[in-house]
Amino acid sequence: MIESYDFLKSVLDTITEHIVVIDSQGDILFVNKSWSSFGQNNACLIDERWSGVNYLSECDKAAAMGDDFGVKAASGIRSVIAADKKEFYFEYPCHSPNEERWFMMRVTPFTVEGDHCFVISHQNITERKLAEEEVLNLSRIDGLTDIPNRRYFNEFLDSEWKRCRRLGMPISLAIVDLDHFKLLNDTYGHQAGDSCLKSIGQVLKSFATRPSDLCARYGGEEFAIVYGNTSLDKAQVLLSKLLDEILSLNIPNKKAPTLPILTASIGLSTMHPNKENNENDLIKEADELLYSAKNNGRNQVSFKHIARP
């Protein structure tokens, strides 16, 4: 019984790690239950018929779409197949729309009846990564507003841009600037200005709640909001509500020519990432739209969707 296929398969199917076995050409020979279940629960285009699918080809397809995981996985697996490395492993994010997740991939060779085979396991390391992220996030948080700083914004936008490009999803970026903030500082003092920025930070947190969202202090009285997999229409609705929330704070700014309370102007740009553009184009477009909102009277959202090429 110990040597029977059914017994060994049952053992592998109880393991929580996602396990796949490939041959030296990259063709899949076996997957365990955890592997199949993960694919079914995460809208994988390959459902249950994994046998014969070429794992290396799937990695190459992902790499061609700008996925760093695909690039590193394909390179690492090939290095083990070629015996350049005894084993290979690396850690990577695999977030769902509602949950942050990380996995560790490990590739190990073995031989059976003279044939070279390779076990590829994917272990969920989310709990450890979240603990590490919490420590790291302390260096990414703006001390005054208690939201992410410019450094983390740059890292997040780069990662989300690549994810949206890989999956063919739109990404929206809003740059928010507080109108006549210098007048508020000059009129009420810097302590009042700092209090104002803290209040705005708290409001922004409620407008970036998914793993694919981020609000950050962009610089001075400027803030940024990233919405991954979000169309222009959906982003517009959220940002219109944001303007209303800022008005409802009723923060005095009696010398401002727009209104005697604090207002904000927003530039909103939506793009479909592809090989012809990059995240700097998204930032530039949102920045230009912000100035358009200011030139048109402030306290409004100026927006634009950049169509696919």
Side-chain angles (χ1 to χ4, degrees):
M1 181 186 73
I2 296 294
E3 296 179 355
S4 73
Y5 173 83
D6 288 341
F7 176 82
L8 295 176
K9 183 178 184 300
S10 296
V11 171
L12 290 172
D13 282 343
T14 64
I15 296 174
T16 57
E17 291 185 30
H18 311 152
I19 295 176
V20 57
V21 179
I22 65 171
D23 62 20
S24 56
Q25 282 71 50
D27 290 332
I28 293 178
L29 304 175
F30 171 84
V31 299
N32 72 342
K33 184 177 179 180
S34 293
W35 179 282
S36 297
S37 298
F38 185 82
Q40 292 168 11
N41 295 331
N42 288 271
C44 182
L45 295 178
I46 302 171
D47 193 3
E48 296 182 355
R49 299 180 181 179
W50 288 94
S51 181
V53 172
N54 190 280
Y55 191 90
L56 285 172
S57 294
E58 295 302 313
C59 291
D60 290 338
K61 290 176 186 176
M65 298 183 69
D67 184 357
D68 283 346
F69 164 76
V71 175
K72 293 178 181 178
S75 175
I77 294 169
R78 288 187 170 105
S79 69
V80 176
I81 290 176
D84 295 331
K85 293 181 178 179
K86 292 184 178 180
E87 65 176 3
F88 168 79
Y89 79 94
F90 82 105
E91 300 174 2
Y92 64 95
C94 182
H95 305 322
S96 74
N98 302 310
E99 180 185 13
E100 293 187 7
R101 303 178 302 202
W102 283 265
F103 289 86
M104 180 176 69
M105 172 186 179
R106 185 180 295 275
V107 184
T108 308
F110 71 98
T111 302
V112 57
E113 296 181 355
D115 292 327
H116 297 293
C117 300
F118 306 86
V119 176
I120 303 173
S121 64
H122 296 257
Q123 179 184 5
N124 191 319
I125 56 170
T126 300
E127 186 174 351
R128 172 171 67 81
K129 291 297 290 187
L130 286 175
E132 293 175 354
E133 282 286 307
E134 188 170 351
V135 173
L136 181 59
N137 282 342
L138 294 176
S139 67
R140 295 170 165 175
I141 299 297
D142 177 67
L144 178 63
T145 61
D146 195 36
I147 62 175
N149 55 26
R150 177 71 173 268
R151 173 188 173 187
Y152 187 34
F153 164 81
N154 291 335
E155 294 174 2
F156 183 89
L157 180 60
D158 177 70
S159 175
E160 193 61 22
W161 179 274
K162 290 175 180 175
R163 187 183 77 90
C164 288
R165 177 181 173 182
R166 182 176 74 249
L167 300 176
M169 296 173 173
I171 183 170
S172 294
L173 170 66
I175 297 182
V176 183
D177 186 81
L178 304 182
D179 296 328
H180 305 295
F181 184 74
K182 186 177 184 303
L183 285 176
L184 186 149
N185 256 336
D186 292 344
T187 304
Y188 304 102
H190 289 285
Q191 188 171 355
D194 287 350
S195 178
C196 167
L197 294 174
K198 290 178 183 178
S199 297
I200 296 299
Q202 290 304 305
V203 170
L204 289 177
K205 284 182 179 180
S206 65
F207 283 84
T209 57
R210 305 175 305 168
S212 56
D213 301 340
L214 180 82
C215 67
R217 188 177 182 188
Y218 195 64
E221 65 270 22
E222 279 193 338
F223 299 85
I225 307 177
V226 179
Y227 288 126
N229 188 24
T230 303
S231 67
L232 181 67
D233 290 343
K234 290 181 180 178
Q236 278 182 262
V237 171
L238 289 169
L239 295 172
S240 293
K241 292 180 179 178
L242 173 59
L243 286 183
D244 290 340
E245 286 288 326
I246 292 174
L247 285 174
S248 70
L249 293 174
N250 203 32
I251 297 174
N253 196 7
K254 63 183 181 182
K255 293 185 179 180
T258 308
L259 286 174
I261 58 174
L262 182 71
T263 62
S265 298
I266 303 176
L268 167 64
S269 178
T270 300
M271 290 185 178
H272 275 85
N274 57 68
K275 62 181 180 180
E276 303 296 332
N277 56 25
N278 58 54
E279 57 266 41
N280 290 327
D281 297 322
L282 184 68
I283 294 173
K284 180 181 178 182
E285 188 66 37
D287 200 46
E288 291 177 355
L289 289 164
L290 170 63
Y291 283 99
S292 177
K294 287 189 171 295
N295 291 334
N296 289 331
R298 303 176 191 256
N299 189 33
Q300 61 184 270
V301 182
S302 181
F303 52 87
K304 186 176 183 180
H305 178 262
I306 308 300
R308 295 174 184 264

